[in-house]
Amino acid sequence: MMKTSISGKMFDTGNTILMLLLCFITAYPFLYIFIASVSDPSWLVQQRGMIWFPEGFTMAAYNLVFDNPMIRTGYLNTLFILVIGTALNVLVTSFGAYALSRREVMWKHPIMFLIVFTMFFQGGIIPSYLLVDGLGLLDSRWALILPGLVSAFNLIIMRTSFAAVPVSLEESAKLDGANDFTVLFRIVLPLSLPVVAVMILFYGVSHWNAWFGAMIYLRDRELFPLQLVLREILITNSTDSMLTGVGGGDRMPIGETIKYATIIVATVPILVLYPFLQRYFVKGVMIGAIKE
């Protein structure tokens, strides 16, 4: 083994300390929110600065959050958009990426140029609203799925992955009578699981965190996704509906803990998804970074 010089050891030590500090800076806000959500509301509103341990442990804020019908409805709407939207996103993106990765496809370079063009120049909010209105999608959950069915960036990543699949496999399959659908679903996609996992993560996180489109296209509160409900609670301070039966002097303190509890409820599910896709993430996201 090579001996590490003193300067190398100093660098490693400093680098470790710096990375631990960055990890702490990144993780502490989430830790603060969790501690605040399970602390005594009266104690919390008197605190200033950093807190490390909960005081007067209580789950009252979570009970009020889960008793709120808008939270439950928002969860169901978000799960519908997440599952159906992500499935359609990955499916349609796979179709486009497969077609554009084949050598014999005509006009694929002009088509790719038009796709890339949309990454730099977009119509804007008003034309998008008029398009959704013209398609009859206003006040529908499909307005949050269909207009953004394919991401140009994700299509390029998936196309690059599909293009790396050996052509000989496709030719052998077609000699045995396979059509393009068979090649895509039986050969290309199974060999591209890392990039498929990355697409699920990218599209899934995008759907889970989306609120702007819902704010523009939806008027029926029964269709609001979870993030739009969270926005109302945090920005417009609309926690009164959850405080029925709470005494007047306790309404303001517990209203603060409700905000923190709502953030945890809206954040934890998508954090739980990441470890299952982590082993594919680095490999999939690096596709196309190095040109052979």
Side-chain angles (χ1 to χ4, degrees):
M1 297 178 62
M2 297 179 61
K3 293 184 178 180
T4 306
S5 63
I6 296 177
S7 60
K9 292 181 179 179
M10 292 177 61
F11 174 80
D12 291 341
T13 303
N15 195 31
T16 301
I17 294 173
L18 178 61
M19 293 304 299
L20 290 174
L21 180 62
L22 291 175
C23 290
F24 170 76
I25 293 173
T26 303
Y28 180 75
F30 189 80
L31 179 63
Y32 178 95
I33 292 171
F34 174 73
I35 293 173
S37 69
V38 296
S39 296
D40 178 64
S42 301
W43 173 83
L44 180 64
V45 296
Q46 298 174 9
Q47 299 303 307
R48 295 293 181 270
M50 304 173 75
I51 57 176
W52 301 101
F53 300 100
E55 180 72 21
F57 184 87
T58 175
M59 299 294 289
Y62 287 95
N63 293 333
L64 291 171
V65 166
F66 286 114
D67 286 340
N68 182 9
M70 282 303 299
I71 296 291
R72 294 196 297 268
T73 302
Y75 249 111
L76 293 176
N77 291 329
T78 296
L79 288 176
F80 175 87
I81 296 167
L82 176 68
V83 175
I84 302 300
T86 302
L88 290 176
N89 288 141
V90 175
L91 180 64
V92 178
T93 303
S94 299
F95 287 157
Y98 176 75
L100 293 171
S101 65
R102 302 303 92 189
R103 295 180 301 171
E104 68 277 6
V105 174
M106 295 180 60
W107 310 107
K108 68 176 182 178
H109 294 297
I111 293 173
M112 278 303 304
F113 172 79
L114 294 176
I115 292 173
V116 174
F117 185 83
T118 63
M119 298 175 64
F120 299 98
F121 301 95
Q122 301 179 8
I125 297 176
I126 295 177
S128 299
Y129 181 88
L130 294 175
L131 174 63
V132 172
D133 185 22
L135 293 174
L137 298 177
L138 284 183
D139 233 10
S140 167
R141 285 176 294 197
W142 292 105
L144 310 180
I145 298 175
L146 297 181
L149 199 57
V150 177
S151 164
F153 178 77
N154 292 343
L155 176 64
I156 293 171
I157 293 178
M158 187 168 269
R159 170 185 173 271
T160 305
S161 174
F162 287 178
V165 176
V167 179
S168 56
L169 294 178
E170 178 186 354
E171 293 175 345
S172 299
K174 289 189 174 180
L175 286 175
D176 291 335
N179 56 27
D180 285 313
F181 288 101
T182 304
V183 172
L184 174 61
F185 289 107
R186 301 290 296 273
I187 297 177
V188 176
L189 284 177
L191 292 175
S192 305
L193 285 181
V195 76
V196 173
V198 171
M199 293 299 103
I200 293 173
L201 186 63
F202 281 179
Y203 280 122
V205 171
S206 176
H207 284 306
W208 185 270
N209 291 329
W211 60 271
F212 187 71
M215 185 179 67
I216 295 175
Y217 303 134
L218 301 182
R219 294 294 177 266
D220 185 356
R221 294 178 58 82
E222 294 298 319
L223 299 176
F224 280 10
L226 181 62
Q227 297 300 330
L228 194 56
V229 177
L230 175 62
R231 177 183 179 274
E232 285 192 347
I233 293 173
L234 295 180
I235 296 180
T236 64
N237 202 29
S238 60
T239 58
D240 292 341
S241 61
M242 289 184 263
L243 298 177
T244 305
V246 178
D250 297 330
R251 293 175 71 90
M252 192 277 286
I254 200 170
E256 291 298 313
T257 57
I258 284 175
K259 294 179 182 180
Y260 293 121
T262 307
I263 293 173
I264 295 294
V265 168
T267 305
V268 167
I270 202 66
L271 292 179
V272 173
L273 175 66
Y274 180 77
F276 296 100
L277 302 176
Q278 183 180 11
R279 63 175 179 157
Y280 298 113
F281 183 75
V282 175
K283 182 178 179 181
V285 81
M286 289 296 291
I287 291 174
I290 301 176
K291 184 176 179 62
E292 297 180 356

